Amino acid sequence: MDTALKDRVVLVTGASTGIGAATARAYGQEGARVAVTYRSSLEKAEQVASELEAAGGQALVVRLDLEDLATVEEAARTVIGHWGGIDVLVANAVRWGGDGPPDPSVRFEDVPLEEWQAMIGANLIGAAAQARAVLPSMRSRGWGRIVLISSSVAEEGLPGPGPYGTAKSGLHGLARGLAWEGGRDGILVNVVAPGFTLTDSRPPIPEAVTDKLAAGTPTRRLSDADDVAKLVVFLGSGANGNLTGEVVRDGSSAARAPHVGP
């Protein structure tokens, strides 16, 4: 299968760890030129860039902070100035609002409205800002691919605080609108909604928990970051000829997270 990614310019946000890092490396293996963005982990981003180049791609490390939307536009300008344009956007950067995913023990009514504004501002408006920053370049080339990284939480729900799942579900509507907006210019837009994914950015999880989760999936195993990255690369490549406006779920999406229950 020809991905037609050789020398294509790919912007992967939140690419210093986890799914973003695996995705950046996977595009590098296809011979793409990849911009690796980070918010605070410059050293990790540079390591990903080195691995990407070792795999045959070209890399550029750029800072991007979803809580400072000016950095979104600046990152796109930097990439366009360096390589002349942007062909693919993988909007993977996320604001957790703490050290990790939302705490399900926090009651919905105890979440300050300021946290709602911050979470939706970063994760939904931030994604829109990323698309807005790259669309002119894609239109000028008559070709583009945008992949928005959502979460199974957007459809499954999450007890307690709701801002994260609400922001992620908004990406589904954003993709539908962008699919119509960009389709006439050769731009395809889709969402990937990973389930419980094993990545290097997660704290250690007891094997008994992961085994239970895996048992709830059709394949009896949880996806890892490389599994998701391969799906993202397909959607964001020339191998995807006309799939747009869709939400694609990976195999782990069938597994119900421990806080949800049976």
Side-chain angles (χ1 to χ4, degrees):
M1 181 173 62
D2 182 10
T3 61
L5 285 167
K6 176 67 175 175
D7 293 328
R8 290 283 188 185
V9 178
V10 183
L11 172 58
V12 182
T13 69
S16 61
T17 61
I19 290 172
T23 298
R25 288 191 291 263
Y27 273 108
Q29 291 169 359
E30 298 296 324
R33 294 179 284 181
V34 186
V36 176
T37 87
Y38 71 98
R39 181 179 66 86
S40 57
S41 301
L42 173 59
E43 184 177 350
K44 291 181 179 179
E46 290 177 336
Q47 177 62 36
V48 172
S50 296
E51 294 169 356
L52 188 160
E53 290 174 336
Q58 300 176 52
L60 175 68
V61 175
V62 186
R63 186 173 184 275
L64 183 149
D65 183 353
L66 291 178
E67 295 187 275
D68 181 359
L69 294 184
T71 67
V72 174
E73 295 183 1
E74 179 59 30
R77 283 195 297 269
T78 298
V79 176
I80 293 169
H82 188 74
W83 279 320
I86 295 174
D87 299 297
V88 181
L89 166 67
V90 180
N92 170 74
V94 63
R95 178 194 184 275
W96 292 118
D99 295 329
D103 180 357
S105 68
V106 178
R107 295 183 301 181
F108 184 95
E109 62 269 29
D110 292 334
V111 179
L113 291 179
E114 292 79 8
E115 178 61 14
W116 278 86
Q117 293 172 324
M119 185 70 76
I120 292 174
N123 293 318
L124 179 53
I125 298 176
Q130 292 169 65
R132 183 175 180 270
V134 304
L135 277 170
S137 176
M138 293 180 178
R139 289 192 203 279
S140 71
R141 294 178 173 223
W143 194 94
R145 301 289 185 268
I146 296 175
V147 184
L148 309 175
I149 306 302
S150 180
S151 166
S152 60
V153 169
E155 298 172 317
E156 178 183 275
L158 185 74
Y164 176 75
T166 300
K168 286 298 189 181
S169 66
L171 296 180
H172 302 190
L174 175 61
R176 293 293 291 178
L178 283 173
W180 283 100
E181 172 69 21
R184 71 191 104 177
D185 295 313
I187 302 167
L188 306 182
V189 185
N190 291 287
V191 174
V192 170
F196 197 91
T197 307
L198 301 174
T199 75
D200 59 6
S201 59
R202 279 190 180 278
I205 302 167
E207 188 174 345
V209 173
T210 56
D211 286 348
K212 181 178 179 180
L213 289 169
T217 71
T219 58
R220 300 298 190 268
R221 76 174 184 88
L222 295 177
S223 297
D224 60 25
D226 290 331
D227 292 319
V228 179
K230 291 171 186 176
L231 175 57
V232 173
V233 168
F234 164 73
L235 292 173
S237 76
N240 174 17
N242 199 31
L243 178 64
T244 193
E246 298 299 325
V247 178
V248 183
R249 302 159 189 84
D250 82 310
S252 283
S253 290
R256 298 186 66 81
H259 52 261
V260 175

